[in-house]
Amino acid sequence: MSERLDPRVLFQLIASHVPDDLHENILIVGSLAAAYHFRDQLEFGGVNTKDADVIVQPAGAVAECRAIATRLLNDGWRRKDNCYPRPAPEPVRDLRAIRLYPPHSDAYFIELLAFPGAEQAEKQVWIPCQLSDGWYGVPSFRFLGLTGHNQQQAETGLRYAAPAMMALANLLSHPTLGTAMMSEAIDGRILLRSAKDLGRVLALAWLSTRDEVRAWGEEWEAALRARFPTEYPALAGQVGNGLRSLLDDADALDQARHALAYGLLAGKGVTAENLKAVGAQLLVDTIEPLGQRCANKT
Amino acid sequence: MASGNRPGPTLKRGHELEAKFDALLREGFAPVEQAVDAAYDFRTVDGRWVIEVKHTLLSARDFYEVLLKLVFVLDEHREIEHGVLIAHLPRMSEERLRYEWDRLQKTLRPSVAERLGLVAVAADGALALPSEPNLYRLLAIAQQVFREEQASSESQSITRKWSAKTFEVWKVLLAAWLRSEGLLPIGEIAKRSGCSRPTVDAVLELLQSKGELVRGQNRSAGLAHLPRESLREALVLANELRLTRRFVDASGRRPDPLGLVRRLNEQKPNGVAFGGVVAARHYQPNFDLNGLPRVDVTVEREQSLISLTAVDPALRPVSSDERAPILVVHRSFRLDQFEAAPKSVLPFADPAEVLLDLYDLRLTEQAEEFVRAMRAQGGARV
């Protein structure tokens, strides 16, 4: 059973373990970033994850990824069990992600992600990355590039993704529920990947105030215009597609609830009805107005 | 009761009363079962106790008649150790009851007198004779049941006087009094309330019978003072007459009434006016309350409810175990009665609606102060 980890402590550990001169190249995203942002609202004092998703920036910085991984390994960071080198860069699907424990602790591990280039059209790309012992893969998710907008800074100086941007990235990454399942069970249940990620959007909205969520709309529009200057009207109109599917699917919504009951919203007793209501508010307050504003600009 | 007979109203009411006692007696005093003998209503399993229940005994003669039946039962059935009459005697005082009880006891054989018991709710009190723990337990049950019956009876009496239309007439008069408008022509009362002259006349007669009305020489009328008696009746029925509906935020987040006020002002749903604390602060700037417990609105028509829920899709009606709504919606059947205000986009409900909202919020002190403040603004004395 995972123990709960204080996100403040995790950020401090990461800041102390990662060399100072590399801090400006990393952006923490995912559940740890969300937990840190809402640290004062977490029940049970901590987050139920050991996985620190770390985007290496700036974009296209495969060389930076290699440099960071090499530096960490030289400093004593250890590969996670499922992180091992391949002899060749092909086939790409066989390459393992770079997941490293800090030198003297198993409290967390970091997974290196690539900051996507603006030209990336694929939803996900595996980028081969050669280290001293062989080839690894660094995933690049198209919409994670939005997390570069309005980066937040922790007390330690490390940067992490704003909740609004993580929400937008997840919404766009899942325009439908699809069929892809999580590779690992959450509290004994295998979930739809989309249910987990879209559920996190609802959690981010739930933990924020209504006014904060309404303000997401302006941030989203700015980020979309900056990142996708020609596509942004169409993307703005698609933001809510996957969310609507989730809200209309009782089983998928319950999967989302289940994931959140184990994660960000643990101990808060949030029900599927609560999530559905938050989703409805998010659509009315933020997503639909965004679509209307951007549609007028085509 | 023979099978196939349909009970008349009195008998049906008696059955309902017995059912209430049945539910309570089963839970507390002793295992009982419905008796088949008409002389009493309840009997313990071991047969040692029998209980006769009478909803209303109006005279001493009725009192003795029922007790005598119990006396016969105790005399003929030596195995019964206690026979108890539980009764409501609304026209007899406690002192009178004790006197009549003592008279009866003196005439009975000791072997019967010592097994007879009385649990009574009198006009001015209650008693259990003899004074012993089991009878006091029965008295507690009797007081609970008879109190519920009395409240129900009173509610039915009030319901016959008030309807949605007569209520609107009353609110027009109350709003005019709060604003110190003076007496209104009866035609104006009819116009403002949207009711016919006969309906207005009926309300005026009702208020006059309570001493709450003043009539002018030019076929005008108005309230003489704050109509406390009719207000008390109105409060009993207000939720029903105003078709009050309560809503919670189904998201489960901390309620944000101020945020809801902002959204209402931004979206301006038609036919909706602020009431409650928001409106009270408009009419009385020094309204004494910190924060905003909930948002009260008055709507002119049913369609307005649809536009309200569009303001927040997470609003849903409260369930029975939820106590704190974020939005309470009251219906008024009058049109064009809202008061506009420059700063707030939504208009305000009239002061009568606001006063009713404050009582619904249990803000009694603030409601009284609201009345004083409104009257003072008009230069009138309360």
Side-chain angles (χ1 to χ4, degrees):
Chain A
M1 184 176 72
S2 291
E3 59 191 63
R4 296 206 163 262
L5 305 170
D6 187 332
R8 291 181 191 83
V9 172
L10 281 173
F11 264 64
Q12 287 165 358
L13 287 174
I14 295 171
S16 66
H17 292 152
V18 174
D20 290 349
D21 57 313
L22 297 180
H23 286 189
E24 66 177 1
N25 292 110
I26 64 174
L27 173 70
I28 298 175
V29 298
S31 57
L32 179 57
Y36 180 84
H37 189 84
F38 295 107
R39 56 197 179 279
D40 293 332
Q41 296 188 54
L42 296 183
E43 300 291 336
F44 310 136
V47 60
N48 211 351
T49 182
K50 286 189 168 190
D51 183 6
D53 293 318
V54 172
I55 292 184
V56 179
Q57 48 185 6
V62 178
E64 294 293 341
C65 288
R66 183 167 51 243
I68 288 173
T70 301
R71 176 80 174 275
L72 294 179
L73 287 166
N74 288 343
D75 284 354
W77 285 62
R78 301 159 293 126
R79 295 171 186 75
K80 204 168 179 288
D81 286 348
N82 54 3
C83 171
Y84 50 85
R86 300 288 296 170
E90 295 286 347
V92 167
R93 65 177 181 276
D94 290 346
L95 298 177
R96 310 301 300 176
I98 302 175
R99 293 181 176 145
L100 305 175
Y101 282 117
H104 304 295
S105 172
D106 288 350
Y108 70 94
F109 62 90
I110 64 172
E111 176 172 345
L112 298 184
L113 311 173
F115 198 94
E119 70 286 354
Q120 180 178 331
E122 301 89 345
K123 184 177 166 182
Q124 179 182 346
V125 171
W126 274 92
I127 303 174
C129 178
Q130 188 178 26
L131 301 183
S132 62
D133 58 348
W135 290 90
Y136 297 82
V138 179
S140 173
F141 298 97
R142 184 186 187 210
F143 293 112
L144 266 190
L146 292 162
T147 60
H149 181 85
N150 195 23
Q151 296 179 24
Q152 306 291 292
Q153 191 158 36
E155 293 157 345
T156 56
L158 289 176
R159 296 198 194 96
Y160 66 95
M165 293 301 115
M166 287 194 285
L168 181 59
N170 281 14
L171 285 165
L172 287 171
S173 296
H174 296 283
T176 65
L177 291 182
T179 56
M181 308 299 288
M182 299 291 295
S183 56
E184 293 181 9
I186 294 179
D187 200 21
R189 196 171 168 186
I190 301 287
L191 308 177
L192 277 168
R193 161 67 69 179
S194 60
K196 176 181 169 292
D197 289 348
L198 292 171
R200 180 167 298 159
V201 174
L202 296 177
L204 295 173
W206 195 90
L207 290 166
S208 305
T209 66
R210 289 285 293 278
D211 287 342
E212 286 170 343
V213 174
R214 287 180 71 183
W216 288 2
E218 285 185 20
E219 282 188 67
W220 288 359
E221 184 175 351
L224 285 171
R225 289 167 67 102
R227 188 91 189 138
F228 307 104
T230 57
E231 289 179 80
Y232 81 88
L235 289 173
Q238 297 165 15
V239 168
N241 290 357
L243 179 63
R244 290 188 188 91
S245 298
L246 180 78
L247 298 179
D248 287 341
D249 188 318
D251 181 62
L253 187 61
D254 189 68
Q255 291 185 37
R257 179 206 58 76
H258 177 88
L260 295 174
Y262 190 71
L264 269 179
L265 300 184
K268 293 190 178 295
V270 175
T271 65
E273 185 204 18
N274 296 150
L275 294 178
K276 191 161 187 173
V278 169
Q281 289 174 336
L282 177 59
L283 285 166
V284 165
D285 289 347
T286 310
I287 293 176
E288 287 165 7
L290 172 74
Q292 288 158 9
R293 282 199 306 274
C294 294
N296 292 337
K297 290 169 182 168
T298 54
Chain B
M1 186 175 69
S3 63
N5 288 354
R6 297 182 66 184
T10 303
L11 198 57
K12 181 169 182 283
R13 190 137 180 253
H15 288 168
E16 290 170 351
L17 183 67
E18 284 180 19
K20 286 184 182 176
F21 271 100
D22 188 14
L24 292 169
L25 288 169
R26 282 186 191 281
E27 291 173 4
F29 170 57
V32 294
E33 61 185 40
Q34 189 66 41
V36 298
D37 191 312
Y40 49 86
D41 298 307
F42 295 96
R43 179 178 62 207
T44 54
V45 171
D46 60 8
R48 293 167 55 220
W49 286 74
V50 297
I51 296 174
E52 169 73 353
V53 178
K54 284 298 178 192
H55 175 264
T56 307
L57 295 176
L58 296 176
S59 65
R61 188 171 75 175
D62 294 339
F63 176 59
Y64 282 122
E65 181 180 334
V66 173
L67 274 176
L68 211 52
K69 283 185 182 177
L70 263 182
V71 166
F72 291 150
V73 167
L74 292 175
D75 189 52
E76 293 163 8
H77 299 273
R78 299 298 177 93
E79 74 281 9
I80 297 176
E81 296 178 12
H82 304 277
V84 180
L85 168 63
I86 299 179
H88 181 210
L89 299 106
R91 294 185 184 173
M92 291 179 74
S93 68
E94 187 182 334
E95 183 182 358
R96 172 79 188 278
L97 269 176
R98 286 183 187 277
Y99 171 75
E100 299 296 343
W101 176 260
D102 288 342
R103 280 181 72 195
L104 178 65
Q105 287 276 301
K106 288 173 189 170
T107 65
L108 296 175
R109 283 204 298 279
S111 63
V112 172
E114 65 192 13
R115 291 149 61 210
L116 187 64
L118 173 65
V119 169
V121 177
D124 58 352
L127 53 81
L129 298 169
S131 299
E132 57 116 279
N134 284 327
L135 291 195
Y136 277 111
R137 279 197 285 270
L138 289 175
L139 178 58
I141 293 172
Q143 284 175 310
Q144 179 180 338
V145 173
F146 289 137
R147 198 162 42 236
E148 286 173 6
E149 287 286 300
Q150 189 172 7
S152 172
S153 172
E154 181 178 302
S155 176
Q156 288 173 16
S157 169
I158 292 171
T159 301
R160 284 192 289 274
K161 298 177 198 168
W162 295 104
S163 68
K165 286 188 181 296
T166 57
F167 194 49
E168 295 298 334
V169 175
W170 180 83
K171 283 192 286 181
V172 165
L173 291 168
L174 178 60
W177 182 82
L178 286 169
R179 286 194 168 110
S180 302
E181 287 188 55
L183 304 184
L184 293 180
I186 292 179
E188 180 65 15
I189 298 171
K191 179 183 171 188
R192 290 189 189 184
S193 63
C195 294
S196 65
R197 290 291 290 267
T199 300
V200 172
D201 288 338
V203 175
L204 297 182
E205 283 178 26
L206 174 64
L207 295 177
Q208 189 153 18
S209 72
K210 295 178 186 299
E212 294 177 340
L213 194 77
V214 170
R215 287 192 187 267
Q217 291 183 345
N218 53 348
R219 296 184 61 75
S220 60
L223 293 177
H225 46 71
L226 182 66
R228 292 200 180 274
E229 184 180 342
S230 56
L231 175 60
R232 185 179 64 83
E233 295 176 358
L235 290 175
V236 169
L237 292 176
N239 285 344
E240 180 185 326
L241 292 172
R242 304 173 85 197
L243 300 179
T244 299
R245 275 156 291 195
R246 303 171 196 276
F247 296 86
V248 291
D249 180 341
S251 74
R253 289 191 285 204
R254 183 188 302 180
D256 181 16
L258 288 173
L260 181 56
V261 169
R262 281 199 301 276
R263 283 192 295 280
L264 285 168
N265 278 331
E266 287 170 6
Q267 303 203 21
K268 298 179 286 182
N270 287 332
V272 178
F274 283 125
V277 173
V278 174
R281 287 187 171 129
H282 162 72
Y283 289 112
Q284 183 193 344
N286 62 346
F287 186 77
D288 186 12
L289 185 73
N290 284 331
L292 181 62
R294 73 186 197 199
V295 179
D296 283 82
V297 297
T298 294
V299 299
E300 283 180 336
R301 47 187 70 84
E302 211 51 32
Q303 290 86 334
S304 302
L305 197 62
I306 297 171
S307 58
L308 264 179
T309 53
V311 170
D312 191 338
L315 290 172
R316 69 151 170 79
V318 298
S319 60
S320 58
D321 57 351
E322 288 169 322
R323 295 187 181 181
I326 187 174
L327 174 69
V328 180
V329 182
H330 311 279
R331 176 80 193 273
S332 172
F333 294 89
R334 290 171 286 153
L335 299 178
D336 302 325
Q337 35 108 0
F338 296 156
E339 173 166 316
K343 288 184 181 178
S344 164
V345 177
L346 273 188
F348 296 104
D350 75 34
E353 302 283 355
V354 175
L355 184 62
L356 291 170
D357 295 344
L358 295 179
Y359 279 116
D360 188 66
L361 278 157
R362 305 286 190 264
L363 296 175
T364 308
E365 282 185 26
Q366 287 87 344
E368 300 284 320
E369 182 54 36
F370 179 76
V371 170
R372 279 191 286 274
M374 287 299 304
R375 293 284 292 172
Q377 286 175 23
R381 294 170 57 187
V382 176

